[in-house]
Amino acid sequence: MKTGMTAGPLACVLGDMDLVRPLGLAGIRCAVVGPPGGATAHSRFTAQLIPWQGGNDGTLVDRLLRFGAAQSQKPVLYMEEDAQLLMVSRNRDRLASVFRLPLANAELVETLVDKGRFQAMAERLGLPVPRTRRLRPLPGSEAPELDLRYPLIVKPLTRRPPWDEIEGLGKAIRLDGHDELRALWPRLIPVGIELLAQELIPGPETRIESHHVYIDAGGAVAGEFTGRKIRTYPVDYGHSTALTITDIDGEGADVAALGREIAAKIGLRGVAKFDFKRDPDGRLHLLEINPRFNLWHHLGAVAGVNLPAMVQADLTGRPRPAPAQAQSKARPGACWCHISKDRLAARESGVPAARWLAWVARCEAKAITPDDPMPFLRPKLDRLFARMPGGIRSGRLVKP
């Protein structure tokens, strides 16, 4: 057993270091699913590797079942992406025979992942979502006239590779009038996916705030924290590259209160992230709910609220970890960054390089840490050695 790790069931992780690290910091041994050369394979918190290079979901489920059945105690299965969440949820009856599953109920999972179903549920329950219409770009069709107020954003029902053919790294496309929708329509038709058009909430991505919560089987809030985006890449409608914890008793108080209220309305159990955008008048608009683990849990753990560790404790019958803060609340101002992508985001945002480097040095949650440097360094060293004469990679011979 690795130093600092505790005995007990493994955490089986479908995810990256932002999920492995909070578990490892709580002394929980991890079995990671991924390629042998991946970052998580080289972490000191990784006790076992389940090799997986990608492919058919059915094959992965079978591999997980074989792994789980071979363990003396049922591992807890964690998933970080929508596709992984759907795969586990849709195979929950089989996987539950050898894993402990931290899942919301199956119907709620399907509803929250599919933006069309989520919108219908939100309107039925009176949740504060922006007005939205569904788009179906069928062959031979023309862009519809929408009873929405421009500007709009257009985004896919679920994040799928075909969307990348249109927008690349961005999550959505802004449209300032019907002429722009009409011009975009011919590009949407061959992609063959359904989309949503949604009224834009004014303001930059820094106005997006989130509530992160774990609601236990009895319906109680076991742990929570709030946060805000600092930067995304691309700058508009991009993926998070820098994040910070907000004061749950101060600027994040209304975010947490609204998140708890919505969680009660939808009957949520388990972990979830509620994303809101604050408009210029200060009102919060619900953008989405993700009922799964995510990159924020690394930041939450270093700030004092380790939600994955709480889940592990509850599902394995152990005491929950003691809070790192005296008031059991996450420390405001703690930050996370994706170093390589945030470098691009900071440059695009006009942040001077020296100021950004100083900020990264102070950032508590990031890929490279003194106590576990190899997930960051080893893949880079492997690529470096692979380019050297003779194909030497970290002491191993690489076949041509």
Side-chain angles (χ1 to χ4, degrees):
M1 185 183 302
K2 295 188 178 184
T3 303
M5 299 291 101
T6 59
L10 288 165
C12 184
V13 177
L14 289 158
D16 60 22
M17 283 304 301
D18 287 314
L19 186 47
V20 171
R21 187 158 179 80
L23 290 161
L25 290 174
I28 299 164
R29 299 175 305 137
C30 294
V32 299
V33 179
T40 55
H42 303 301
S43 172
R44 73 181 182 90
F45 302 127
T46 296
Q48 296 186 50
L49 173 69
I50 305 170
W52 181 248
Q53 302 280 3
N56 181 273
D57 278 358
T59 304
L60 178 54
V61 169
D62 289 341
R63 186 166 297 183
L64 288 170
L65 287 169
R66 289 195 298 273
F67 174 80
Q71 306 309 306
S72 59
Q73 302 179 77
K74 280 187 178 183
V76 180
L77 185 58
Y78 294 83
M79 63 294 305
E80 193 173 353
E81 301 292 341
D82 282 347
Q84 299 161 349
L85 172 65
L86 290 175
M87 180 194 73
V88 172
S89 181
R90 291 168 180 174
N91 292 276
R92 65 175 65 205
D93 291 341
R94 296 175 64 201
L95 290 167
S97 65
V98 294
F99 287 100
R100 306 167 209 253
L101 302 178
L103 290 171
N105 74 67
E107 183 177 355
L108 185 59
V109 167
E110 296 287 338
T111 296
L112 296 181
V113 172
D114 184 298
K115 290 182 173 61
R117 290 180 58 169
F118 165 70
Q119 188 70 25
M121 179 197 73
E123 292 175 359
R124 185 177 70 252
L125 296 177
L127 305 183
V129 293
R131 294 178 65 227
T132 302
R133 295 292 179 265
R134 203 158 179 156
L135 300 179
R136 295 178 175 84
L138 300 174
S141 66
E142 296 183 355
E145 295 282 352
L146 299 172
D147 59 338
L148 298 175
R149 183 183 66 255
Y150 284 89
L152 307 176
I153 58 169
V154 172
K155 56 187 178 181
L157 291 184
T158 57
R159 179 78 182 184
R160 295 164 59 183
W163 174 254
D164 298 337
E165 299 173 15
I166 303 173
E167 186 53 13
L169 296 175
K171 293 182 179 180
I173 297 174
R174 173 177 172 143
L175 301 175
D176 288 312
H178 182 67
D179 287 347
E180 292 188 10
L181 177 60
R182 189 163 52 239
L184 177 66
W185 199 255
R187 294 174 54 201
L188 300 177
I189 291 173
V191 176
I193 60 175
E194 291 191 58
L195 306 160
L196 291 181
Q198 186 175 81
E199 291 184 354
L200 176 69
I201 306 301
E205 300 295 277
T206 54
R207 303 285 288 182
I208 294 178
E209 303 178 52
S210 52
H211 178 227
H212 306 262
V213 66
Y214 165 44
I215 298 176
D216 65 22
V221 174
E224 62 181 344
F225 60 90
T226 56
R228 177 178 56 79
K229 292 191 180 188
I230 298 175
R231 283 182 291 274
T232 66
Y233 187 76
V235 170
D236 295 322
Y237 320 120
H239 295 270
S240 299
T241 64
L243 308 167
T244 188
I245 297 290
T246 54
D247 183 357
I248 200 168
D249 292 327
E251 63 178 305
D254 57 346
V255 176
L258 185 52
R260 291 185 214 111
E261 178 186 333
I262 294 170
K265 282 187 176 182
I266 65 176
L268 177 74
R269 296 292 184 274
V271 296
K273 173 170 74 80
F274 295 80
D275 274 345
F276 302 96
K277 188 169 185 180
R278 194 181 293 275
D279 69 19
D281 295 327
R283 291 174 297 181
L284 293 169
H285 300 261
L286 176 65
L287 302 181
E288 62 181 2
I289 305 171
N290 293 315
R292 54 173 169 78
F293 299 91
N294 57 73
L295 58 83
W296 277 90
H297 293 306
H298 182 186
L299 177 55
V302 300
V305 177
N306 194 330
L307 299 186
M310 292 179 185
V311 170
Q312 181 86 7
D314 282 4
L315 292 184
T316 59
R318 292 170 177 243
R320 290 175 183 164
Q325 307 297 318
Q327 291 79 31
S328 305
K329 294 169 185 172
R331 175 170 48 84
C335 293
W336 168 96
C337 76
H338 187 296
I339 296 174
S340 59
K341 292 180 181 178
D342 195 50
R343 177 178 59 84
L344 300 174
R347 181 189 302 165
E348 194 171 315
S349 301
V351 178
R355 194 172 85 196
W356 177 76
L357 286 169
W359 179 83
V360 171
R362 297 191 304 270
C363 188
E364 296 94 328
K366 54 196 171 194
I368 186 165
T369 58
D371 66 336
D372 193 25
M374 294 315 292
F376 181 82
L377 295 176
R378 180 63 178 272
K380 292 172 175 56
L381 291 173
D382 282 351
R383 288 193 293 271
L384 174 64
F385 286 124
R387 291 196 294 267
M388 294 177 66
I392 298 174
R393 178 188 290 178
S394 300
R396 299 192 305 272
L397 181 65
V398 179
K399 295 180 180 180

Coordinates of all heavy atoms in Angstrom, one line a residue, residues 265-341:
K265 N -36.5 20.8 -5.5 CA -37.6 20.7 -6.4 C -37.4 19.5 -7.4 O -38.4 18.8 -7.7 CB -37.6 21.9 -7.3 CG -38.3 23.1 -6.6 CD -38.5 24.3 -7.5 CE -39.2 25.4 -6.9 NZ -39.5 26.6 -7.8
I266 N -36.2 19.1 -7.7 CA -36.0 18.0 -8.7 C -35.7 16.7 -8.0 O -35.6 15.7 -8.6 CB -34.8 18.3 -9.7 CG1 -33.5 18.4 -9.0 CG2 -35.1 19.6 -10.5 CD1 -32.3 18.6 -9.9
G267 N -35.7 16.7 -6.7 CA -35.5 15.5 -5.9 C -34.1 14.9 -6.1 O -33.9 13.7 -6.1
L268 N -33.1 15.8 -6.1 CA -31.7 15.3 -6.3 C -31.1 14.6 -5.2 O -31.3 14.9 -4.0 CB -30.8 16.5 -6.6 CG -29.3 16.2 -6.8 CD1 -29.1 15.6 -8.2 CD2 -28.5 17.5 -6.7
R269 N -30.4 13.5 -5.5 CA -29.5 12.8 -4.5 C -28.2 12.6 -5.2 O -28.1 12.3 -6.3 CB -30.1 11.4 -4.1 CG -31.4 11.5 -3.3 CD -31.3 12.1 -2.0 NE -32.5 12.1 -1.2 CZ -33.5 13.0 -1.3 NH1 -33.3 14.1 -2.1 NH2 -34.6 12.9 -0.6
G270 N -27.1 12.8 -4.4 CA -25.8 12.7 -4.9 C -25.1 14.0 -5.2 O -25.5 15.0 -4.6
V271 N -24.1 14.1 -6.0 CA -23.4 15.3 -6.3 C -24.0 16.0 -7.5 O -24.5 15.3 -8.4 CB -21.9 15.0 -6.5 CG1 -21.2 14.5 -5.3 CG2 -21.7 14.1 -7.7
A272 N -23.8 17.3 -7.6 CA -24.3 18.1 -8.7 C -23.6 19.4 -8.7 O -23.2 19.9 -7.7 CB -25.8 18.2 -8.8
K273 N -23.5 20.0 -9.9 CA -23.0 21.4 -10.1 C -24.2 22.1 -10.8 O -24.6 21.7 -11.9 CB -21.8 21.4 -11.0 CG -21.3 22.8 -11.4 CD -20.0 22.8 -12.1 CE -20.0 22.2 -13.5 NZ -20.4 23.2 -14.5
F274 N -24.6 23.2 -10.2 CA -25.6 24.1 -10.7 C -24.9 25.3 -11.3 O -24.2 26.1 -10.5 CB -26.6 24.5 -9.6 CG -27.4 23.4 -9.1 CD1 -26.9 22.6 -8.1 CD2 -28.7 23.2 -9.5 CE1 -27.6 21.5 -7.6 CE2 -29.5 22.1 -9.0 CZ -28.9 21.3 -8.0
D275 N -25.0 25.6 -12.6 CA -24.4 26.7 -13.2 C -25.4 27.8 -13.4 O -26.5 27.6 -14.0 CB -23.8 26.3 -14.6 CG -22.4 25.8 -14.5 OD1 -21.7 26.0 -13.4 OD2 -21.9 25.2 -15.5
F276 N -25.1 29.0 -13.0 CA -25.9 30.2 -13.1 C -25.1 31.3 -13.8 O -23.9 31.3 -13.7 CB -26.4 30.7 -11.7 CG -27.1 29.7 -10.9 CD1 -26.4 29.0 -9.9 CD2 -28.5 29.5 -11.1 CE1 -27.1 28.1 -9.1 CE2 -29.2 28.6 -10.3 CZ -28.5 27.9 -9.3
K277 N -25.9 32.2 -14.4 CA -25.2 33.4 -14.9 C -26.0 34.6 -14.3 O -27.2 34.7 -14.3 CB -25.3 33.5 -16.4 CG -24.4 34.7 -16.9 CD -24.2 34.7 -18.4 CE -23.3 35.8 -18.9 NZ -23.0 35.8 -20.3
R278 N -25.2 35.5 -13.8 CA -25.8 36.7 -13.1 C -25.9 37.8 -14.1 O -24.9 38.2 -14.7 CB -24.9 37.1 -11.9 CG -25.5 38.1 -11.0 CD -24.6 38.5 -9.8 NE -24.3 37.4 -9.0 CZ -25.0 37.0 -7.9 NH1 -26.1 37.7 -7.6 NH2 -24.6 36.0 -7.1
D279 N -27.1 38.3 -14.3 CA -27.3 39.4 -15.3 C -26.9 40.7 -14.7 O -26.6 40.8 -13.5 CB -28.8 39.4 -15.8 CG -29.8 39.8 -14.8 OD1 -29.5 40.5 -13.8 OD2 -31.0 39.5 -15.0
P280 N -26.9 41.8 -15.5 CA -26.5 43.1 -15.0 C -27.3 43.6 -13.9 O -26.9 44.5 -13.1 CB -26.7 44.0 -16.3 CG -26.5 43.1 -17.4 CD -27.1 41.8 -17.0
D281 N -28.6 43.1 -13.7 CA -29.4 43.5 -12.5 C -29.1 42.7 -11.3 O -29.8 42.9 -10.3 CB -30.9 43.5 -12.9 CG -31.2 44.5 -14.0 OD1 -30.6 45.6 -14.0 OD2 -32.1 44.1 -14.8
G282 N -28.2 41.7 -11.4 CA -27.9 40.8 -10.3 C -28.7 39.6 -10.2 O -28.5 38.8 -9.2
R283 N -29.7 39.4 -11.1 CA -30.5 38.2 -11.0 C -29.8 37.0 -11.6 O -29.0 37.1 -12.5 CB -31.8 38.4 -11.8 CG -32.8 39.4 -11.2 CD -34.0 39.6 -12.1 NE -33.5 40.2 -13.4 CZ -34.3 40.6 -14.4 NH1 -35.6 40.4 -14.2 NH2 -33.8 41.2 -15.5
L284 N -30.0 35.8 -11.0 CA -29.4 34.6 -11.4 C -30.3 33.8 -12.3 O -31.5 33.6 -12.1 CB -29.1 33.7 -10.2 CG -28.0 34.3 -9.2 CD1 -28.0 33.4 -7.9 CD2 -26.6 34.3 -9.8
H285 N -29.7 33.3 -13.4 CA -30.4 32.5 -14.4 C -29.7 31.2 -14.5 O -28.5 31.1 -14.7 CB -30.3 33.2 -15.8 CG -30.9 34.6 -15.8 ND1 -32.2 34.8 -16.3 CD2 -30.4 35.8 -15.4 CE1 -32.5 36.1 -16.2 NE2 -31.4 36.7 -15.7
L286 N -30.5 30.1 -14.4 CA -30.0 28.8 -14.4 C -29.6 28.3 -15.8 O -30.4 28.4 -16.7 CB -31.0 27.8 -13.8 CG -30.6 26.3 -13.8 CD1 -29.4 26.0 -12.9 CD2 -31.9 25.5 -13.4
L287 N -28.3 27.9 -16.0 CA -27.9 27.5 -17.3 C -27.9 26.0 -17.5 O -28.4 25.5 -18.5 CB -26.5 28.0 -17.6 CG -26.3 29.5 -17.5 CD1 -24.8 29.9 -17.8 CD2 -27.2 30.2 -18.5
E288 N -27.5 25.2 -16.5 CA -27.5 23.8 -16.6 C -27.2 23.2 -15.2 O -26.8 23.9 -14.3 CB -26.4 23.3 -17.6 CG -25.0 23.6 -17.2 CD -24.0 23.1 -18.2 OE1 -24.4 22.5 -19.3 OE2 -22.8 23.3 -18.0
I289 N -27.5 21.9 -15.1 CA -27.3 21.1 -13.9 C -26.5 19.9 -14.3 O -27.0 19.1 -15.2 CB -28.5 20.7 -13.2 CG1 -29.4 21.9 -12.8 CG2 -28.2 19.9 -11.9 CD1 -30.8 21.6 -12.3
N290 N -25.3 19.6 -13.7 CA -24.5 18.5 -14.1 C -24.5 17.5 -12.9 O -23.9 17.8 -11.8 CB -23.1 18.8 -14.4 CG -23.0 19.6 -15.7 OD1 -23.7 19.2 -16.7 ND2 -22.3 20.7 -15.8
P291 N -25.2 16.4 -12.9 CA -25.3 15.5 -11.8 C -24.1 14.5 -11.7 O -24.3 13.2 -11.8 CB -26.6 14.7 -12.0 CG -26.7 14.6 -13.5 CD -26.1 15.9 -14.0
R292 N -22.9 15.0 -11.7 CA -21.7 14.1 -11.7 C -20.5 14.9 -11.1 O -20.6 16.0 -10.8 CB -21.3 13.8 -13.2 CG -21.2 15.0 -14.1 CD -20.7 14.7 -15.5 NE -20.8 15.8 -16.4 CZ -20.0 16.8 -16.5 NH1 -19.0 16.9 -15.6 NH2 -20.2 17.8 -17.3
F293 N -19.4 14.2 -11.0 CA -18.2 14.8 -10.5 C -17.6 15.6 -11.6 O -17.8 15.4 -12.8 CB -17.2 13.7 -10.0 CG -17.8 12.9 -8.8 CD1 -18.5 11.7 -9.1 CD2 -17.7 13.3 -7.5 CE1 -19.1 11.0 -8.1 CE2 -18.2 12.6 -6.5 CZ -18.9 11.5 -6.8
N294 N -16.7 16.5 -11.3 CA -16.1 17.4 -12.3 C -14.8 18.0 -11.8 O -14.4 17.8 -10.6 CB -17.1 18.5 -12.6 CG -17.6 19.3 -11.4 OD1 -16.8 20.1 -10.8 ND2 -18.8 19.1 -10.9
L295 N -14.2 18.9 -12.6 CA -12.9 19.4 -12.2 C -12.9 20.3 -11.0 O -11.9 20.6 -10.4 CB -12.3 20.2 -13.5 CG -13.1 21.3 -14.1 CD1 -12.9 22.6 -13.3 CD2 -12.7 21.5 -15.5
W296 N -14.1 20.9 -10.7 CA -14.2 21.7 -9.5 C -13.8 21.0 -8.2 O -13.5 21.7 -7.2 CB -15.6 22.3 -9.4 CG -15.9 23.5 -10.2 CD1 -16.4 23.5 -11.5 CD2 -15.7 24.9 -9.8 NE1 -16.5 24.8 -11.9 CE2 -16.1 25.7 -10.9 CE3 -15.3 25.5 -8.6 CZ2 -16.1 27.1 -10.9 CZ3 -15.3 26.9 -8.6 CH2 -15.7 27.7 -9.7
H297 N -14.0 19.7 -8.1 CA -13.8 19.0 -6.9 C -12.3 19.0 -6.4 O -12.1 18.9 -5.2 CB -14.3 17.5 -7.0 CG -15.7 17.5 -7.2 ND1 -16.6 18.1 -6.3 CD2 -16.5 16.9 -8.2 CE1 -17.9 17.8 -6.7 NE2 -17.8 17.1 -7.9
H298 N -11.4 19.2 -7.3 CA -10.0 19.4 -6.9 C -9.9 20.7 -6.1 O -9.3 20.7 -5.0 CB -9.1 19.4 -8.1 CG -7.6 19.6 -7.8 ND1 -6.7 19.7 -8.8 CD2 -6.9 19.6 -6.6 CE1 -5.5 19.8 -8.3 NE2 -5.6 19.8 -7.0
L299 N -10.4 21.8 -6.6 CA -10.4 23.1 -6.0 C -11.2 23.0 -4.6 O -10.7 23.6 -3.6 CB -11.0 24.1 -6.9 CG -11.1 25.6 -6.3 CD1 -9.8 26.0 -5.8 CD2 -11.6 26.5 -7.4
G300 N -12.4 22.4 -4.6 CA -13.1 22.3 -3.4 C -12.3 21.6 -2.3 O -12.4 22.0 -1.1
A301 N -11.6 20.6 -2.7 CA -10.9 19.8 -1.7 C -9.7 20.6 -1.1 O -9.6 20.7 0.2 CB -10.3 18.5 -2.3
V302 N -9.0 21.4 -1.9 CA -7.9 22.1 -1.3 C -8.4 23.4 -0.6 O -7.7 23.9 0.3 CB -6.9 22.6 -2.4 CG1 -6.3 21.4 -3.1 CG2 -7.5 23.5 -3.4
A303 N -9.7 23.7 -0.9 CA -10.3 24.9 -0.1 C -11.0 24.4 1.1 O -11.5 25.2 1.9 CB -11.3 25.6 -1.0
G304 N -11.0 23.1 1.4 CA -11.5 22.6 2.6 C -12.8 21.8 2.6 O -13.3 21.3 3.6
V305 N -13.4 21.6 1.4 CA -14.7 20.8 1.3 C -14.5 19.8 0.2 O -14.5 20.0 -1.0 CB -15.9 21.7 1.0 CG1 -17.1 20.8 0.8 CG2 -16.1 22.7 2.1
N306 N -14.2 18.5 0.7 CA -13.9 17.4 -0.2 C -15.1 16.6 -0.5 O -15.3 15.6 0.2 CB -12.7 16.6 0.4 CG -12.1 15.7 -0.6 OD1 -12.7 15.2 -1.6 ND2 -10.8 15.4 -0.4
L307 N -15.9 16.9 -1.5 CA -17.1 16.2 -1.8 C -16.9 14.7 -2.2 O -17.6 13.8 -1.7 CB -18.0 16.9 -2.8 CG -18.4 18.4 -2.4 CD1 -19.3 18.9 -3.5 CD2 -19.0 18.4 -1.1
P308 N -15.9 14.4 -3.1 CA -15.7 13.0 -3.4 C -15.4 12.2 -2.2 O -15.8 11.0 -2.1 CB -14.5 13.1 -4.4 CG -14.6 14.4 -5.0 CD -15.1 15.3 -3.9
A309 N -14.6 12.7 -1.3 CA -14.2 11.9 -0.1 C -15.5 11.7 0.8 O -15.6 10.7 1.5 CB -13.1 12.7 0.7
M310 N -16.4 12.7 0.9 CA -17.6 12.5 1.6 C -18.5 11.4 1.0 O -19.0 10.5 1.7 CB -18.4 13.8 1.6 CG -17.8 14.9 2.4 SD -18.9 16.4 2.3 CE -17.8 17.6 3.2
V311 N -18.5 11.4 -0.3 CA -19.3 10.3 -1.0 C -18.7 8.9 -0.7 O -19.4 8.0 -0.4 CB -19.3 10.6 -2.5 CG1 -19.9 9.4 -3.2 CG2 -20.1 11.8 -2.8
Q312 N -17.3 8.8 -0.8 CA -16.7 7.6 -0.5 C -17.0 7.1 0.9 O -17.3 5.9 1.2 CB -15.2 7.8 -0.7 CG -14.3 6.5 -0.4 CD -14.2 5.6 -1.6 OE1 -14.6 6.0 -2.7 NE2 -13.6 4.4 -1.5
A313 N -16.9 8.0 1.9 CA -17.2 7.7 3.3 C -18.6 7.1 3.4 O -18.9 6.1 4.1 CB -17.0 8.9 4.2
D314 N -19.6 7.8 2.9 CA -21.0 7.4 3.0 C -21.3 6.1 2.4 O -22.0 5.2 2.9 CB -21.9 8.5 2.4 CG -22.1 9.7 3.3 OD1 -21.5 9.7 4.4 OD2 -22.9 10.6 3.0
L315 N -20.7 5.9 1.2 CA -21.0 4.6 0.5 C -20.3 3.4 1.0 O -20.6 2.3 0.7 CB -20.7 4.8 -1.0 CG -21.6 5.7 -1.8 CD1 -21.2 5.7 -3.3 CD2 -23.0 5.4 -1.7
T316 N -19.2 3.7 1.8 CA -18.4 2.5 2.4 C -18.6 2.4 3.9 O -18.0 1.6 4.5 CB -16.9 2.7 2.1 OG1 -16.5 4.0 2.6 CG2 -16.7 2.7 0.6
G317 N -19.5 3.2 4.5 CA -19.9 3.1 5.9 C -18.8 3.6 6.8 O -18.6 3.1 7.9
R318 N -18.0 4.6 6.3 CA -16.9 5.1 7.2 C -17.3 6.6 7.6 O -18.1 7.2 7.0 CB -15.6 5.1 6.4 CG -15.1 3.7 6.1 CD -14.0 3.6 5.2 NE -13.5 2.3 5.1 CZ -12.3 1.8 5.4 NH1 -11.4 2.7 5.9 NH2 -12.0 0.6 5.3
P319 N -16.6 7.1 8.6 CA -16.8 8.5 9.0 C -16.5 9.5 7.9 O -15.5 9.3 7.2 CB -15.9 8.7 10.2 CG -15.6 7.3 10.7 CD -15.6 6.4 9.5
R320 N -17.3 10.5 7.7 CA -16.9 11.5 6.7 C -15.6 12.2 7.2 O -15.4 12.4 8.4 CB -18.0 12.5 6.6 CG -19.3 12.0 5.9 CD -20.4 13.0 5.9 NE -21.6 12.4 5.3 CZ -22.8 13.0 5.5 NH1 -23.0 14.1 6.2 NH2 -23.9 12.4 4.9
P321 N -14.8 12.7 6.2 CA -13.6 13.4 6.6 C -13.9 14.7 7.4 O -14.9 15.4 7.1 CB -13.0 13.7 5.2 CG -14.1 13.7 4.2 CD -15.0 12.7 4.8
A322 N -13.0 15.0 8.3 CA -13.2 16.2 9.1 C -13.0 17.4 8.2 O -12.1 17.4 7.4 CB -12.2 16.2 10.3
P323 N -13.8 18.5 8.4 CA -13.6 19.6 7.5 C -12.2 20.3 7.8 O -11.7 20.3 8.9 CB -14.7 20.6 8.0 CG -15.1 20.1 9.3 CD -14.9 18.6 9.3
A324 N -11.6 20.8 6.7 CA -10.3 21.5 6.9 C -10.5 22.9 7.5 O -9.5 23.4 8.0 CB -9.7 21.6 5.5
Q325 N -11.7 23.5 7.4 CA -11.9 24.8 7.9 C -12.7 24.7 9.2 O -13.6 23.8 9.3 CB -12.6 25.7 6.9 CG -11.9 25.8 5.6 CD -10.6 26.4 5.6 OE1 -10.4 27.4 6.3 NE2 -9.6 25.8 4.9
A326 N -12.5 25.5 10.2 CA -13.2 25.5 11.4 C -14.7 25.6 11.2 O -15.5 25.0 12.0 CB -12.7 26.6 12.4
Q327 N -15.1 26.4 10.2 CA -16.6 26.6 10.0 C -17.1 25.6 9.0 O -18.3 25.8 8.6 CB -16.8 28.1 9.5 CG -16.6 29.1 10.6 CD -15.1 29.4 10.8 OE1 -14.3 29.3 9.8 NE2 -14.7 29.8 12.0
S328 N -16.4 24.6 8.6 CA -16.8 23.6 7.7 C -17.2 24.2 6.3 O -18.1 23.7 5.6 CB -18.0 22.8 8.2 OG -17.7 22.3 9.5
K329 N -16.6 25.3 5.9 CA -16.9 26.0 4.7 C -15.7 26.2 3.9 O -14.6 26.3 4.4 CB -17.6 27.4 4.9 CG -18.9 27.2 5.6 CD -19.5 28.6 6.1 CE -20.8 28.3 6.8 NZ -21.2 29.6 7.5
A330 N -15.8 26.2 2.5 CA -14.7 26.3 1.7 C -14.1 27.7 1.8 O -14.8 28.7 1.9 CB -15.1 26.0 0.2
R331 N -12.8 27.8 1.7 CA -12.1 29.0 1.9 C -12.2 29.9 0.6 O -11.7 29.5 -0.5 CB -10.6 28.7 2.2 CG -9.7 29.9 2.2 CD -8.3 29.6 2.8 NE -7.8 28.4 2.1 CZ -7.2 28.4 0.9 NH1 -7.0 29.6 0.3 NH2 -6.7 27.3 0.3
P332 N -12.8 31.1 0.7 CA -13.0 31.9 -0.4 C -11.6 32.4 -1.0 O -10.7 32.6 -0.2 CB -13.8 33.1 0.1 CG -14.4 32.6 1.4 CD -13.5 31.6 1.9
G333 N -11.5 32.5 -2.3 CA -10.3 33.0 -2.9 C -9.4 31.9 -3.4 O -8.4 32.2 -4.1
A334 N -9.6 30.7 -2.9 CA -8.7 29.6 -3.5 C -9.0 29.5 -5.0 O -10.1 29.7 -5.4 CB -9.1 28.3 -2.7
C335 N -7.9 29.1 -5.7 CA -8.0 29.1 -7.2 C -7.5 27.8 -7.8 O -6.7 27.1 -7.3 CB -7.2 30.3 -7.8 SG -7.9 31.9 -7.4
W336 N -8.1 27.5 -9.0 CA -7.7 26.4 -9.8 C -7.4 26.9 -11.2 O -8.0 27.9 -11.7 CB -8.9 25.4 -9.9 CG -8.7 24.3 -11.0 CD1 -8.2 23.1 -10.7 CD2 -9.0 24.4 -12.4 NE1 -8.2 22.3 -11.9 CE2 -8.7 23.1 -12.9 CE3 -9.6 25.4 -13.2 CZ2 -9.0 22.9 -14.3 CZ3 -9.8 25.1 -14.5 CH2 -9.5 23.9 -15.1
C337 N -6.4 26.3 -11.9 CA -6.2 26.6 -13.3 C -5.7 25.4 -14.1 O -5.1 24.4 -13.5 CB -5.2 27.7 -13.4 SG -3.5 27.3 -13.2
H338 N -6.0 25.4 -15.4 CA -5.5 24.5 -16.3 C -4.3 25.2 -17.0 O -4.5 26.1 -17.8 CB -6.5 24.1 -17.4 CG -6.1 23.0 -18.3 ND1 -5.1 23.2 -19.2 CD2 -6.6 21.8 -18.5 CE1 -4.9 22.1 -19.9 NE2 -5.8 21.2 -19.5
I339 N -3.1 24.9 -16.6 CA -2.0 25.8 -16.9 C -1.8 26.1 -18.4 O -1.7 27.3 -18.8 CB -0.6 25.2 -16.4 CG1 -0.7 25.1 -14.8 CG2 0.6 26.0 -16.8 CD1 0.5 24.4 -14.2
S340 N -1.8 25.1 -19.2 CA -1.5 25.3 -20.7 C -2.6 26.1 -21.3 O -2.4 27.0 -22.1 CB -1.3 24.0 -21.4 OG -2.4 23.1 -21.3
K341 N -3.9 25.7 -21.0 CA -5.0 26.4 -21.7 C -5.2 27.8 -21.1 O -5.6 28.7 -21.8 CB -6.3 25.6 -21.5 CG -6.2 24.3 -22.4 CD -7.5 23.5 -22.2 CE -7.4 22.2 -23.1 NZ -8.6 21.4 -22.9

